[in-house]
Amino acid sequence: MTTTIMRTTARVTVPIVLVLSISLFLQGHNLPGGGFIGGVLTTAALVLIYVAYDLDYLESGVLGQEVESGTSIFEHRTVLAYRRTLLLGLLVVFGSGVAGFLVGDPFLTQTYVHLEGVPIYHEVELASALVFDLGVFLVVVGSLLTIVSVVSAE
């Protein structure tokens, strides 16, 4: 059982960490950062939620679903979702690497496009490295949360 102070701290800290995670993820194709550090920070925020509440909080408290008792941690719906996230990330990373082959370029060839007339920002540069970073982000989040969930259940 955790304290009220821990839960209050988690409620304040988690949104700040998630915003920082998104910021580092989005700047990754131009500056240091990207999918890996964004994934690690997202995982840290979710682990903080697990410490303050528990693994079943996401299903019972947020999604309103009944948690099945007596199932193995490997069969837990949340852990299965983390494993699917890991696999989706691997597919995105592989797909972003192979995409260059479709236009006759080498593996992992990156390109970019400038979008003009975007509200607030006026001009935005979208790089294909962002897709690769998204795959890395999903792999990091899926694998680390699977490891944390399995280890914490032991």
Side-chain angles (χ1 to χ4, degrees):
M1 191 68 168
T2 59
T3 65
T4 305
I5 294 172
M6 179 63 193
R7 290 183 179 189
T8 304
T9 303
R11 287 183 184 184
V12 171
T13 307
V14 167
I16 295 169
V17 172
L18 289 176
V19 167
L20 179 61
S21 169
I22 291 168
S23 173
L24 287 173
F25 169 75
L26 291 176
Q27 77 179 10
H29 64 281
N30 287 329
L31 299 170
F36 182 79
I37 192 63
V40 170
L41 280 175
T42 300
T43 302
L46 293 173
V47 166
L48 186 59
I49 291 172
Y50 288 158
V51 169
Y53 297 93
D54 65 5
L55 181 62
D56 295 330
Y57 175 73
L58 179 64
E59 284 189 35
S60 62
V62 176
L63 301 176
Q65 298 177 353
E66 193 66 34
V67 178
E68 299 173 17
S69 60
T71 60
S72 165
I73 186 64
F74 295 106
E75 297 169 358
H76 198 279
R77 285 186 286 200
T78 307
V79 175
L80 290 175
Y82 297 152
R83 291 168 56 192
R84 286 188 201 112
T85 303
L86 167 65
L87 292 175
L88 177 64
L90 287 174
L91 285 174
V92 170
V93 167
F94 182 72
S96 71
V98 173
F101 285 143
L102 299 177
V103 293
D105 290 335
F107 185 72
L108 277 177
T109 299
Q110 302 296 319
T111 187
Y112 63 94
V113 66
H114 286 280
L115 299 177
E116 296 181 10
V118 178
I120 299 174
Y121 295 105
H122 306 294
E123 181 181 344
V124 174
E125 176 186 296
L126 288 179
S128 60
L130 190 62
V131 176
F132 179 79
D133 278 342
L134 175 64
V136 171
F137 176 87
L138 293 172
V139 167
V140 169
V141 169
S143 60
L144 288 179
L145 286 177
T146 300
I147 291 168
V148 166
S149 299
V150 170
V151 169
S152 68
E154 294 296 324

